[in-house]
């Protein structure tokens, strides 16, 4: 799915053509500064599509800073006098359009406004190259003081570097079209000094050494949303395994923790892929893996899941149910990664599904049943509906200026609860058919809420529009749970 044309509606364009005949080319106008996302109006951009992105990182010795270059192949969807990329913070060194210097202006709300020497015609393919200088703050010396904003971007944890780009953090690292609907095949090049290893999404396609400097190039041919990029640098070891359905597994683990971490990964990671493949169909890509970092945290970075190395040690892994988190992140490979959200208000399609299959995994592994988890979520739902609004229409104002909006409990638990209600309504077999249709029809694409509702109705052979809307857009209280008339909200 792509952004809409701006000023003129289709009817107006037809009328204009009838009156004047087709113009030689439309007069160039600025591309929109955003895709019109209600939660982040300036996220992403209008007037072009990204067809391919090549992102290069050249780290200084010591990893405190880096030079980053984005080379984006774009195709204009209107005649452009100028266009925007998203960039917030880094120092711009150079901007070129089709190899020629372009004028640019960086705004305080995260837009890099680029004016090429000549306007770009509607439909034309062109290349923009932006080089920036940036620093990678040390998380241990400067721990974030309560603000999620500080976590977004590229940072160091001890002697490791990692990236937290979700949801709009990549613009803090280099210039990109920073919206999940702007997916594109991605090549990442990482240059480091000394013995540090490096890793990124996709496959390692080349390694070259020049003196003390090593450059590794990774290629992800599947479209990748900017929020799902991962770039890791540090003293880690990469091991390869053969995974379910013949996919390649790649684990990047801190070298000094490899013996402690790998047994848990070997036990859980392929098992989680198998568990989900049985329900959803084949894993969406041909490569899967983990970047296990000393910093903690977990994120569904496509084909290279970020997991906390500390949580993968035997001391903590067995007791705290971290395997449920692994299953959650793997579920995102289908929901959120392969099928990206069309708008941020559709986030329940990603996080709700991941939570639902996490519940399912935990149920199958002797923890709370899915009914217990759903019942608990149902009982407390008024709290999160009151805090942030409906599951599929979160209230932007309720999140303030946080970089983490709209990752709120209502999106996770409310999304999972909606899926549970749907399963109760249509039965297990039909529910599984809906899920399989959703991930296969939108494989490596983009999906939104109304599209999911239409898919569910078509596959179930019944009009589920009123039912699903009553769950997804409820303002104060959710409908009664099918099959559980005894469930009540507190
Ligand atoms: Zn998640």
């Amino acid at each position: 799915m792509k952004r809409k044309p701006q000023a003129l509606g289709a009817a107006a364009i037809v009328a204009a053509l009838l009156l004047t005949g087709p113009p030689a080319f439309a007069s160039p106008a600025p591309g929109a500064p955003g895709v019109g996302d209600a939660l982040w109006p300036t996220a992403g951009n209008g007037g072009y599509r990204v067809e391919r992105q090549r992102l290069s990182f050249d780290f200084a010795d010591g990893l405190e800073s880096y030079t980053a270059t984005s080379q984006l192949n774009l195709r204009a969807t209107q005649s452009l006098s100028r266009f925007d990329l998203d960039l917030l913070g880094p120092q711009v060194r150079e901007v070129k359009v089709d190899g020629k210097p372009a004028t640019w202006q960086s705004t305080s709300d995260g837009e890099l406004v680029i004016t090429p020497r000549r306007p770009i015609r509607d439909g034309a393919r062109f290349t923009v190259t932006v080089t920036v200088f940036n620093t990678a703050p040390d998380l241990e010396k400067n721990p974030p003081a309560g603000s999620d904003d500080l976590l977004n971007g590229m940072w160091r944890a001890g002697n490791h570097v990692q990236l937290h780009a979700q949801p709009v953090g990549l613009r803090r690292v280099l210039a990109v079209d920073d919206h999940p609907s702007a997916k594109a095949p991605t090549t990442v090049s990482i240059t480091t000094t000394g013995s540090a290893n490096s890793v990124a999404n996709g496959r390692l396609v080349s390694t070259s050494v020049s003196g003390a400097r090593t450059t590794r190039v990774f290629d992800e041919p599947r479209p990748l949303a900017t929020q799902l990029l991962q770039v890791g640098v540090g003293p880690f070891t990469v091991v390869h395994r053969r995974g379910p359905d013949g996919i390649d597994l790649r684990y990047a683990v801190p070298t000094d923790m490899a013996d402690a971490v790998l047994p848990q990964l070997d036990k859980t990671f392929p098992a989680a892929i198998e568990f989900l493949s049985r329900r959803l169909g084949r894993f969406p890509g041909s490569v899967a893996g983990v970047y296990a970092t000393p910093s903690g945290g977990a994120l569904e970075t496509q084909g290279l899941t970020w997991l906390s190395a500390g949580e993968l040690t035997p001391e903590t892994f067995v007791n705290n149910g971290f395997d449920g988190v692994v299953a959650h992140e793997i579920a995102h490979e289908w929901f959120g990664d392969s099928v990206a959200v069309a708008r941020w208000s559709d986030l329940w399609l990603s996080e709700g599904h991941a939570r639902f299959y996490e519940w399912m995994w935990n149920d199958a592994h002797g923890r709370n049943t899915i009914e217990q988890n759903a019942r608990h979520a149902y009982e407390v739902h008024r709290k999160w509906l009151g805090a942030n609004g409906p599951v599929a229409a979160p209230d932007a104002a309720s999140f303030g200026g946080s970089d983490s909006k709209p990752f709120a409990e209502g999106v996770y638990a409310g999304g999972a609860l909606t899926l549970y209600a749907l399963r109760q309504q249509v039965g297990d077999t039909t529910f599984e058919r809906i899920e399989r249709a959703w991930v296969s029809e939108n494989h490596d694409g983009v999906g939104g809420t109304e599209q999911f509702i239409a898919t569910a109705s078509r596959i179930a052979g019944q009009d589920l529009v009123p039912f699903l809307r009553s769950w997804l857009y409820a303002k104060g209280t959710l409908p009664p749970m099918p099959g559980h008339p005894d469930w009540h909200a507190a």
Side-chain angles (χ1 to χ4, degrees):
M1 152 162 186
K2 227 28 225 185
R3 50 217 60 152
K4 297 193 173 94
Q6 294 141 51
L8 290 177
I13 290 169
V14 170
L17 289 175
L18 287 173
L19 287 171
T20 62
F25 58 91
S27 54
V35 294
D37 195 306
L39 289 170
W40 270 287
T42 61
N45 302 284
Y48 61 83
R49 283 196 312 271
V50 184
E51 296 191 324
R52 179 160 195 91
Q53 44 195 359
R54 292 180 178 80
L55 310 175
S56 307
F57 302 88
D58 190 339
F59 285 90
D61 200 5
L63 304 174
E64 294 93 352
S65 64
Y66 57 92
T67 302
T69 300
S70 12
Q71 187 188 91
L72 308 178
N73 294 5
L74 309 179
R75 179 156 196 183
T77 55
Q78 66 171 71
S79 287
L80 288 164
S81 57
R82 59 166 214 245
F83 61 95
D84 288 13
L85 293 176
D86 298 306
L87 184 73
L88 185 60
Q91 299 167 26
V92 178
R93 289 277 165 85
E94 187 179 64
V95 179
K96 287 183 173 177
V97 175
D98 286 335
K100 299 191 177 71
T103 54
W104 55 271
Q105 190 189 359
S106 197
T107 72
S108 58
D109 63 347
E111 296 298 303
L112 180 67
V113 183
I114 298 170
T115 307
R117 285 184 173 184
R118 288 196 191 86
I120 293 159
R121 285 195 186 203
D122 186 9
R125 289 195 160 91
F126 62 107
T127 302
V128 59
T129 310
V130 179
T131 301
V132 301
F133 174 80
N134 208 350
T135 55
D138 188 329
L139 207 61
E140 290 174 358
K141 285 190 191 142
N142 306 292
S147 166
D148 293 325
D149 292 9
L150 291 169
L151 282 169
N152 259 248
M154 180 100 77
W155 31 265
R156 282 177 295 142
N159 47 12
H160 288 67
V161 165
Q162 75 174 93
L163 179 59
H164 179 199
Q166 186 179 72
V168 285
L170 201 56
R171 62 183 179 152
R172 295 177 182 273
V173 175
L174 77 176
V176 283
D177 190 21
D178 208 0
H179 192 272
S181 64
K183 301 171 76 170
T186 302
T187 303
V188 177
S189 165
I190 306 170
T191 300
T192 54
T193 307
S195 60
N197 207 343
S198 57
V199 70
N201 316 67
R203 287 178 195 275
L204 177 65
V205 292
S206 74
T207 304
S208 53
V209 179
S210 172
R213 290 156 57 76
T214 302
T215 300
R216 293 182 184 82
V217 178
F218 300 85
D219 185 59
E220 170 55 293
R222 297 171 56 210
L224 176 77
T226 47
Q227 61 145 348
L228 301 173
L229 188 77
Q230 185 56 270
V231 170
V233 179
F236 53 76
T237 299
V238 178
V239 301
H240 292 269
R241 308 279 197 246
R242 193 163 176 77
D245 293 329
I247 63 173
D248 292 334
L249 300 181
R250 172 182 57 157
Y251 303 142
V253 296
T255 303
D256 58 358
M257 296 176 76
D259 289 346
V261 161
L262 285 170
Q264 283 67 247
L265 280 179
D266 280 331
K267 187 171 162 223
T268 305
F269 199 76
I273 291 174
E274 255 168 11
F275 181 86
L276 288 154
S277 298
R278 277 203 302 276
R279 287 157 181 83
L280 299 168
R282 210 189 137 81
F283 186 82
S286 62
V287 61
V290 170
Y291 179 37
T293 79
S295 65
L299 191 68
E300 65 269 24
T301 39
Q302 182 170 309
L304 185 66
T305 307
W306 160 13
L307 292 176
S308 160
E311 300 279 4
L312 288 164
T313 59
E315 295 78 27
T316 59
F317 185 78
V318 178
N319 295 327
N320 67 4
F322 194 67
D323 57 313
V325 176
V326 174
H328 175 111
E329 303 306 343
I330 295 294
H332 275 303
E333 292 279 357
W334 283 267
F335 303 101
D337 293 9
S338 173
V339 189
V341 294
R343 288 292 181 270
W344 279 111
S345 49
D346 302 317
L347 184 61
W348 74 274
L349 283 166
S350 173
E351 294 300 351
H353 273 109
R355 177 69 63 83
F356 180 84
Y357 288 99
E358 179 186 342
W359 284 353
M360 204 177 250
W361 168 276
N362 284 331
D363 189 335
H365 290 80
R367 302 196 187 93
N368 278 357
T369 65
I370 194 164
E371 279 74 21
Q372 285 172 316
N373 275 319
R375 180 171 190 155
H376 173 73
Y378 191 84
E379 284 168 355
V380 302
H381 77 253
R382 282 194 183 128
K383 198 168 89 183
W384 34 258
L385 278 187
N388 299 114
V391 172
D395 171 19
S398 73
F399 300 109
S402 166
D403 248 15
S404 291
K405 65 183 181 183
F407 287 77
E409 185 61 10
V411 166
Y412 286 73
L417 203 50
T418 300
L419 295 167
Y420 180 82
L422 175 61
R423 198 179 74 162
Q424 291 290 103
Q425 180 77 3
V426 301
D428 288 6
T429 308
T430 301
F431 177 76
E432 189 174 314
R433 284 177 49 229
I434 292 169
E435 294 285 87
R436 283 174 178 266
W438 178 250
V439 295
S440 68
E441 290 171 11
N442 302 295
H443 176 258
D444 278 346
V446 172
T449 298
E450 290 300 316
Q451 194 184 336
F452 181 84
I453 293 173
T455 301
S457 297
R458 172 168 51 82
I459 299 296
Q462 56 175 292
D463 180 9
L464 291 165
V465 176
F467 176 80
L468 282 169
R469 283 187 183 163
S470 73
W471 283 84
L472 291 166
Y473 300 113
K475 287 205 168 115
T477 303
L478 291 173
M481 179 61 77
H484 295 295
D486 55 322
W487 289 13
H488 299 289

